[in-house]
Amino acid sequence: MDQLWALHSNDYDYAAQRPEVSPEKERHHREVFASTVYETEHPIVRVHPETGERTLVLGHFVKKILGLSSADSAQLLSLLQGHITKLENTVRWRWSAGDVVIWDNRATQHYAINDYGDQHRIVRRAMFQWVSMADRV
């Protein structure tokens, strides 16, 4: 597993991930988010630089596992993604006024559920550089 790499892309099926999406929102997604397609390769397993924990780097942006047939890639991705999203491996935050929630994207897969109606939602991302231990020496 440590040797597997995946191809990630911003060109994914937005409507399939959100069955209730309107044609306007899907068009907006294509025009804004996917007008330029980016693809990059990442290892599927990473070691967290602070905790040493092994984490899976997957999600909706993964197109395929490199070096596997399309069928094997899809099956393995489904198995791993199913593990990540099992209820016992997730956190569901019940928001209250003034809440601030922080998670580490190096070891977390975020999926926002659009259940806040017309309430105002603010998202701020703090980015930090991924530095491997080899880069520190």
Side-chain angles (χ1 to χ4, degrees), residues 57-68:
V57 182
L58 295 172
H60 299 302
F61 296 105
V62 174
K63 298 278 270 194
K64 65 180 179 178
I65 297 175
L66 301 172
L68 297 183

Side-chain angles (χ1 to χ4, degrees), residues 4-134:
L4 293 177
W5 283 62
L7 178 68
H8 295 245
S9 175
N10 63 319
D11 185 24
Y12 73 103
D13 193 350
Y14 177 74
Q17 300 303 325
R18 293 171 165 70
E20 75 289 347
V21 72
S22 69
E24 295 80 27
K25 283 189 177 186
E26 184 174 1
R27 186 178 66 252
H28 181 262
H29 166 78
R30 291 275 169 222
E31 290 172 356
V32 174
F33 189 74
S35 61
T36 301
V37 174
Y38 299 96
E39 291 187 338
T40 186
E41 298 173 0
H42 295 284
I44 290 178
V45 177
R46 282 195 182 149
V47 176
H48 192 284
E50 307 296 326
T51 67
E53 275 187 287
R54 305 167 75 67
T55 63
L56 292 172
V57 182
L58 295 172
H60 299 302
F61 296 105
V62 174
K63 298 278 270 194
K64 65 180 179 178
I65 297 175
L66 301 172
L68 297 183
S69 70
S70 295
D72 288 346
S73 173
Q75 190 172 14
L76 184 54
L77 284 171
S78 178
L79 176 73
L80 294 172
Q81 190 64 26
H83 174 75
I84 292 169
T85 58
K86 282 175 87 173
L87 191 58
E88 60 266 26
N89 297 330
T90 64
V91 171
R92 176 66 196 255
W93 192 262
R94 305 245 183 252
W95 291 97
S96 296
D99 280 359
V100 174
V101 176
I102 299 172
W103 61 90
D104 185 343
N105 276 343
R106 298 173 295 179
T108 305
Q109 189 176 117
H110 174 240
Y111 180 76
I113 303 209
N114 187 357
D115 63 352
Y116 42 88
D118 61 356
Q119 297 295 312
H120 189 64
R121 179 174 184 253
I122 299 173
V123 176
R124 301 281 189 251
R125 295 183 192 273
M127 304 297 285
F128 43 92
Q129 183 179 2
W130 179 276
V131 178
S132 74
M133 294 307 278

